[in-house]
Short mmCIF file of all heavy atoms in Angstrom, two decimals:
data_model
loop_
_atom_site.label_atom_id
_atom_site.label_comp_id
_atom_site.label_asym_id
_atom_site.label_seq_id
_atom_site.Cartn_x
_atom_site.Cartn_y
_atom_site.Cartn_z
N THR Q 574 -0.52 -37.23 7.28
CA THR Q 574 -1.54 -36.76 8.03
C THR Q 574 -1.14 -35.69 8.96
O THR Q 574 -0.22 -35.92 9.89
CB THR Q 574 -2.33 -37.92 8.81
OG1 THR Q 574 -2.77 -38.81 7.87
CG2 THR Q 574 -3.35 -37.31 9.65
N TYR Q 575 -1.61 -34.44 8.88
CA TYR Q 575 -1.16 -33.34 9.67
C TYR Q 575 -2.44 -32.57 10.10
O TYR Q 575 -3.37 -32.37 9.39
CB TYR Q 575 -0.18 -32.51 8.92
CG TYR Q 575 0.93 -33.12 8.13
CD1 TYR Q 575 0.77 -33.25 6.87
CD2 TYR Q 575 1.96 -33.66 8.96
CE1 TYR Q 575 1.81 -33.92 6.09
CE2 TYR Q 575 2.96 -34.33 8.20
CZ TYR Q 575 2.89 -34.34 6.78
OH TYR Q 575 3.85 -35.00 6.04
N TYR Q 576 -2.41 -32.09 11.40
CA TYR Q 576 -3.43 -31.27 11.96
C TYR Q 576 -4.88 -31.89 11.78
O TYR Q 576 -5.84 -31.33 11.45
CB TYR Q 576 -3.45 -29.90 11.26
CG TYR Q 576 -2.14 -29.26 11.40
CD1 TYR Q 576 -1.18 -29.20 10.31
CD2 TYR Q 576 -1.73 -28.62 12.60
CE1 TYR Q 576 0.02 -28.68 10.44
CE2 TYR Q 576 -0.46 -28.11 12.72
CZ TYR Q 576 0.41 -28.06 11.70
OH TYR Q 576 1.69 -27.58 11.77
N GLY Q 577 -4.77 -33.35 11.91
CA GLY Q 577 -6.00 -34.01 11.85
C GLY Q 577 -6.60 -34.39 10.52
O GLY Q 577 -7.75 -34.80 10.37
N ARG Q 578 -5.93 -34.09 9.39
CA ARG Q 578 -6.43 -34.45 8.05
C ARG Q 578 -5.34 -34.89 7.16
O ARG Q 578 -4.19 -34.41 7.31
CB ARG Q 578 -7.14 -33.24 7.47
CG ARG Q 578 -6.42 -32.08 7.32
CD ARG Q 578 -7.15 -30.71 6.96
NE ARG Q 578 -7.88 -31.03 5.68
CZ ARG Q 578 -8.57 -30.04 5.10
NH1 ARG Q 578 -8.59 -28.81 5.64
NH2 ARG Q 578 -9.33 -30.35 4.10
N HIS Q 579 -5.64 -35.77 6.19
CA HIS Q 579 -4.58 -36.29 5.22
C HIS Q 579 -4.36 -35.16 4.23
O HIS Q 579 -5.27 -34.49 3.79
CB HIS Q 579 -5.17 -37.54 4.48
CG HIS Q 579 -4.17 -37.94 3.51
ND1 HIS Q 579 -3.07 -38.79 4.01
CD2 HIS Q 579 -4.14 -38.01 2.17
CE1 HIS Q 579 -2.31 -39.01 2.83
NE2 HIS Q 579 -3.02 -38.65 1.80
N MET Q 580 -3.07 -35.07 3.94
CA MET Q 580 -2.53 -33.94 2.97
C MET Q 580 -1.68 -34.61 2.02
O MET Q 580 -0.97 -35.44 2.24
CB MET Q 580 -1.91 -32.80 3.69
CG MET Q 580 -2.83 -32.16 4.72
SD MET Q 580 -1.83 -30.75 5.61
CE MET Q 580 -3.10 -30.23 6.76
N ALA Q 581 -1.74 -34.02 0.74
CA ALA Q 581 -0.88 -34.46 -0.27
C ALA Q 581 0.31 -33.47 -0.60
O ALA Q 581 0.00 -32.20 -0.45
CB ALA Q 581 -1.68 -34.66 -1.60
N ALA Q 582 1.46 -33.93 -0.92
CA ALA Q 582 2.58 -33.00 -1.10
C ALA Q 582 2.28 -31.93 -2.06
O ALA Q 582 1.80 -32.27 -3.19
CB ALA Q 582 3.82 -33.80 -1.65
N GLY Q 583 2.65 -30.63 -1.68
CA GLY Q 583 2.27 -29.64 -2.68
C GLY Q 583 0.99 -29.06 -2.62
O GLY Q 583 0.59 -28.06 -3.39
N TYR Q 584 -0.01 -29.66 -1.89
CA TYR Q 584 -1.40 -29.14 -1.75
C TYR Q 584 -1.55 -28.23 -0.59
O TYR Q 584 -0.74 -28.31 0.28
CB TYR Q 584 -2.37 -30.27 -1.75
CG TYR Q 584 -2.61 -30.96 -3.16
CD1 TYR Q 584 -1.48 -31.25 -4.07
CD2 TYR Q 584 -3.89 -31.45 -3.49
CE1 TYR Q 584 -1.84 -31.87 -5.32
CE2 TYR Q 584 -4.10 -31.95 -4.59
CZ TYR Q 584 -3.06 -32.13 -5.59
OH TYR Q 584 -3.37 -32.70 -6.88
N ILE Q 585 -2.64 -27.41 -0.66
CA ILE Q 585 -2.88 -26.55 0.39
C ILE Q 585 -4.19 -26.84 1.13
O ILE Q 585 -5.16 -27.20 0.49
CB ILE Q 585 -2.89 -25.01 -0.18
CG1 ILE Q 585 -2.71 -24.02 1.01
CG2 ILE Q 585 -4.11 -24.88 -0.99
CD1 ILE Q 585 -2.36 -22.61 0.48
N TYR Q 586 -4.14 -26.57 2.34
CA TYR Q 586 -5.31 -26.94 3.29
C TYR Q 586 -5.56 -25.84 4.43
O TYR Q 586 -4.58 -25.29 4.95
CB TYR Q 586 -5.10 -28.31 4.06
CG TYR Q 586 -4.84 -29.39 3.04
CD1 TYR Q 586 -3.52 -29.63 2.58
CD2 TYR Q 586 -5.83 -30.21 2.52
CE1 TYR Q 586 -3.28 -30.75 1.73
CE2 TYR Q 586 -5.60 -31.27 1.60
CZ TYR Q 586 -4.33 -31.43 1.19
OH TYR Q 586 -4.03 -32.51 0.22
N SER Q 587 -6.69 -25.69 4.83
CA SER Q 587 -6.95 -24.75 5.89
C SER Q 587 -7.02 -25.46 7.13
O SER Q 587 -7.39 -26.55 7.32
CB SER Q 587 -8.49 -24.23 5.71
OG SER Q 587 -8.90 -23.33 6.81
N ILE Q 588 -6.44 -24.82 8.10
CA ILE Q 588 -6.39 -25.30 9.52
C ILE Q 588 -6.94 -24.56 10.61
O ILE Q 588 -7.20 -25.01 11.64
CB ILE Q 588 -4.88 -25.70 9.96
CG1 ILE Q 588 -4.00 -24.43 9.95
CG2 ILE Q 588 -4.31 -26.87 8.95
CD1 ILE Q 588 -2.65 -24.75 10.59
N ALA Q 589 -7.19 -23.30 10.27
CA ALA Q 589 -7.89 -22.38 11.22
C ALA Q 589 -8.53 -21.21 10.45
O ALA Q 589 -8.06 -20.67 9.39
CB ALA Q 589 -6.93 -21.73 12.26
N GLY Q 590 -9.76 -20.91 11.03
CA GLY Q 590 -10.57 -19.87 10.33
C GLY Q 590 -11.59 -20.39 9.39
O GLY Q 590 -11.29 -21.16 8.48
N SER Q 591 -12.83 -19.86 9.46
CA SER Q 591 -13.90 -20.23 8.69
C SER Q 591 -13.94 -19.39 7.35
O SER Q 591 -14.68 -19.68 6.47
CB SER Q 591 -15.26 -20.04 9.35
OG SER Q 591 -15.51 -18.62 9.80
N GLY Q 592 -13.16 -18.25 7.23
CA GLY Q 592 -13.29 -17.47 6.17
C GLY Q 592 -14.00 -16.25 6.30
O GLY Q 592 -14.02 -15.27 5.58
N MET Q 593 -14.60 -16.07 7.41
CA MET Q 593 -15.41 -14.85 7.91
C MET Q 593 -14.65 -14.16 9.01
O MET Q 593 -13.91 -14.72 9.74
CB MET Q 593 -16.78 -15.30 8.42
CG MET Q 593 -17.52 -16.14 7.65
SD MET Q 593 -17.99 -15.32 6.17
CE MET Q 593 -19.32 -14.07 7.01
N VAL Q 594 -14.81 -12.86 8.87
CA VAL Q 594 -14.14 -11.91 9.82
C VAL Q 594 -14.90 -11.91 11.06
O VAL Q 594 -16.06 -11.59 11.00
CB VAL Q 594 -13.79 -10.58 9.20
CG1 VAL Q 594 -13.16 -9.66 10.32
CG2 VAL Q 594 -12.96 -10.69 8.06
N GLY Q 595 -14.36 -12.02 12.22
CA GLY Q 595 -15.01 -11.99 13.46
C GLY Q 595 -14.27 -12.57 14.58
O GLY Q 595 -13.19 -12.77 14.58
N TYR Q 596 -15.13 -12.94 15.65
CA TYR Q 596 -14.38 -13.62 16.78
C TYR Q 596 -15.42 -14.53 17.43
O TYR Q 596 -16.27 -14.17 18.31
CB TYR Q 596 -13.83 -12.65 17.76
CG TYR Q 596 -13.12 -13.29 18.99
CD1 TYR Q 596 -11.81 -13.82 18.74
CD2 TYR Q 596 -13.63 -13.38 20.23
CE1 TYR Q 596 -11.13 -14.49 19.77
CE2 TYR Q 596 -12.98 -14.14 21.25
CZ TYR Q 596 -11.67 -14.43 21.04
OH TYR Q 596 -10.94 -15.13 22.03
N SER Q 597 -15.51 -15.84 17.09
CA SER Q 597 -16.42 -16.76 17.62
C SER Q 597 -15.75 -18.13 17.38
O SER Q 597 -14.87 -18.28 16.58
CB SER Q 597 -17.80 -16.66 16.85
OG SER Q 597 -17.66 -17.01 15.54
N GLY Q 598 -16.43 -19.01 18.16
CA GLY Q 598 -15.97 -20.40 18.04
C GLY Q 598 -14.67 -20.81 18.86
O GLY Q 598 -14.17 -21.90 18.66
N ILE Q 599 -14.20 -19.73 19.59
CA ILE Q 599 -12.92 -20.04 20.31
C ILE Q 599 -13.28 -20.98 21.38
O ILE Q 599 -14.21 -20.96 22.19
CB ILE Q 599 -12.39 -18.64 20.96
CG1 ILE Q 599 -12.29 -17.53 19.82
CG2 ILE Q 599 -11.00 -18.90 21.61
CD1 ILE Q 599 -11.44 -18.02 18.60
N GLY Q 600 -12.34 -21.94 21.49
CA GLY Q 600 -12.57 -23.07 22.51
C GLY Q 600 -13.18 -24.27 21.75
O GLY Q 600 -13.43 -25.38 22.43
N GLY Q 601 -13.47 -24.08 20.54
CA GLY Q 601 -13.99 -25.23 19.69
C GLY Q 601 -13.10 -25.52 18.39
O GLY Q 601 -11.87 -25.02 18.46
N PRO Q 602 -13.54 -26.35 17.46
CA PRO Q 602 -12.76 -26.66 16.27
C PRO Q 602 -12.18 -25.47 15.70
O PRO Q 602 -13.00 -24.50 15.26
CB PRO Q 602 -13.75 -27.45 15.50
CG PRO Q 602 -14.62 -28.01 16.47
CD PRO Q 602 -14.88 -27.01 17.47
N ALA Q 603 -10.96 -25.47 15.27
CA ALA Q 603 -10.34 -24.29 14.78
C ALA Q 603 -10.73 -23.83 13.27
O ALA Q 603 -10.96 -22.74 13.06
CB ALA Q 603 -8.75 -24.57 14.65
N ARG Q 604 -11.19 -24.96 12.61
CA ARG Q 604 -11.51 -24.59 11.21
C ARG Q 604 -12.97 -24.06 11.14
O ARG Q 604 -13.34 -23.49 10.08
CB ARG Q 604 -11.47 -25.82 10.25
CG ARG Q 604 -10.06 -26.27 9.94
CD ARG Q 604 -9.99 -27.68 9.45
NE ARG Q 604 -10.81 -27.81 8.22
CZ ARG Q 604 -11.20 -28.84 7.65
NH1 ARG Q 604 -10.77 -30.04 8.23
NH2 ARG Q 604 -11.87 -28.99 6.61
N SER Q 605 -13.69 -24.11 12.30
CA SER Q 605 -15.06 -23.59 12.20
C SER Q 605 -15.21 -22.15 12.96
O SER Q 605 -16.18 -21.53 12.90
CB SER Q 605 -16.10 -24.50 12.91
OG SER Q 605 -16.06 -25.80 12.44
N ALA Q 606 -14.00 -21.82 13.43
CA ALA Q 606 -13.95 -20.54 14.27
C ALA Q 606 -13.80 -19.44 13.34
O ALA Q 606 -13.29 -19.46 12.17
CB ALA Q 606 -12.84 -20.56 15.22
N THR Q 607 -14.31 -18.14 13.66
CA THR Q 607 -14.08 -16.89 12.99
C THR Q 607 -13.02 -16.25 13.77
O THR Q 607 -13.04 -16.05 14.95
CB THR Q 607 -15.37 -16.06 12.91
OG1 THR Q 607 -15.83 -15.86 14.21
CG2 THR Q 607 -16.47 -16.78 12.00
N ILE Q 608 -12.00 -15.71 12.92
CA ILE Q 608 -10.96 -14.95 13.53
C ILE Q 608 -10.90 -13.64 12.64
O ILE Q 608 -11.60 -13.44 11.75
CB ILE Q 608 -9.69 -15.73 13.45
CG1 ILE Q 608 -9.36 -16.16 12.09
CG2 ILE Q 608 -9.68 -16.95 14.46
CD1 ILE Q 608 -8.06 -16.91 12.05
N GLY Q 609 -10.04 -12.74 13.15
CA GLY Q 609 -9.94 -11.35 12.58
C GLY Q 609 -8.95 -11.21 11.59
O GLY Q 609 -9.16 -11.70 10.38
N CYS Q 610 -7.89 -10.45 11.86
CA CYS Q 610 -6.71 -10.30 10.93
C CYS Q 610 -5.51 -11.20 11.24
O CYS Q 610 -4.63 -10.62 11.96
CB CYS Q 610 -6.45 -8.77 10.91
SG CYS Q 610 -7.95 -7.72 10.75
N PRO Q 611 -5.46 -12.38 10.81
CA PRO Q 611 -4.26 -13.12 11.29
C PRO Q 611 -3.03 -12.63 10.52
O PRO Q 611 -2.91 -12.75 9.25
CB PRO Q 611 -4.57 -14.50 10.76
CG PRO Q 611 -5.54 -14.35 9.73
CD PRO Q 611 -6.43 -13.19 10.07
N LEU Q 612 -2.10 -12.01 11.27
CA LEU Q 612 -0.99 -11.44 10.61
C LEU Q 612 0.15 -12.26 10.59
O LEU Q 612 1.32 -11.88 10.01
CB LEU Q 612 -0.65 -10.16 11.30
CG LEU Q 612 -1.65 -8.91 11.18
CD1 LEU Q 612 -1.10 -7.68 11.88
CD2 LEU Q 612 -2.03 -8.72 9.73
N GLY Q 613 0.20 -13.39 11.22
CA GLY Q 613 1.38 -14.41 11.25
C GLY Q 613 1.00 -15.40 12.10
O GLY Q 613 0.20 -15.54 12.84
N ALA Q 614 1.77 -16.62 11.85
CA ALA Q 614 1.62 -17.75 12.70
C ALA Q 614 3.08 -18.39 12.78
O ALA Q 614 3.83 -18.39 11.91
CB ALA Q 614 0.63 -18.77 12.04
N VAL Q 615 3.32 -18.95 13.95
CA VAL Q 615 4.54 -19.74 14.27
C VAL Q 615 4.05 -21.07 14.91
O VAL Q 615 2.99 -21.26 15.50
CB VAL Q 615 5.46 -18.88 15.23
CG1 VAL Q 615 5.97 -17.71 14.41
CG2 VAL Q 615 4.92 -18.53 16.49
N VAL Q 616 5.08 -21.94 14.93
CA VAL Q 616 4.85 -23.26 15.54
C VAL Q 616 5.64 -23.52 16.78
O VAL Q 616 6.91 -23.19 16.80
CB VAL Q 616 5.08 -24.38 14.52
CG1 VAL Q 616 4.78 -25.73 15.12
CG2 VAL Q 616 4.22 -24.18 13.24
N ASP Q 617 5.04 -23.85 17.94
CA ASP Q 617 5.89 -23.98 19.29
C ASP Q 617 6.48 -25.41 19.23
O ASP Q 617 6.27 -26.22 18.25
CB ASP Q 617 5.02 -23.52 20.40
CG ASP Q 617 3.86 -24.57 20.69
OD1 ASP Q 617 3.91 -25.72 20.11
OD2 ASP Q 617 3.05 -24.28 21.55
N ARG Q 618 7.21 -25.75 20.22
CA ARG Q 618 7.82 -26.91 20.27
C ARG Q 618 6.99 -28.23 20.57
O ARG Q 618 7.39 -29.35 20.31
CB ARG Q 618 8.99 -26.97 21.45
CG ARG Q 618 8.30 -26.66 22.81
CD ARG Q 618 9.39 -26.58 24.02
NE ARG Q 618 8.79 -26.16 25.27
CZ ARG Q 618 9.54 -26.18 26.30
NH1 ARG Q 618 10.85 -26.42 26.31
NH2 ARG Q 618 8.95 -25.85 27.50
N HIS Q 619 5.78 -27.92 20.77
CA HIS Q 619 4.70 -29.02 20.99
C HIS Q 619 3.94 -29.23 19.60
O HIS Q 619 3.17 -30.14 19.64
CB HIS Q 619 3.85 -28.60 22.06
CG HIS Q 619 4.36 -28.49 23.35
ND1 HIS Q 619 4.90 -29.44 24.17
CD2 HIS Q 619 4.53 -27.28 24.11
CE1 HIS Q 619 5.42 -28.91 25.25
NE2 HIS Q 619 5.19 -27.63 25.27
N GLY Q 620 4.33 -28.36 18.70
CA GLY Q 620 3.54 -28.41 17.26
C GLY Q 620 2.26 -27.63 17.23
O GLY Q 620 1.60 -27.66 16.28
N ASN Q 621 2.06 -26.88 18.41
CA ASN Q 621 0.86 -25.97 18.34
C ASN Q 621 1.16 -24.72 17.41
O ASN Q 621 2.29 -24.39 17.35
CB ASN Q 621 0.51 -25.52 19.64
CG ASN Q 621 0.38 -26.69 20.65
OD1 ASN Q 621 -0.36 -27.71 20.45
ND2 ASN Q 621 0.99 -26.56 21.88
#
Side-chain angles (χ1 to χ4, degrees):
T574 300
Y575 313 106
Y576 307 101
R578 60 188 304 189
H579 180 73
M580 300 183 182
Y584 280 43
I585 191 166
Y586 304 86
S587 174
I588 60 171
S591 66
M593 303 292 290
V594 178
Y596 186 72
S597 66
I599 307 304
R604 290 168 56 199
S605 302
T607 58
I608 57 181
C610 308
L612 292 187
V615 294
V616 181
D617 69 15
R618 59 182 177 174
H619 304 288
N621 306 314

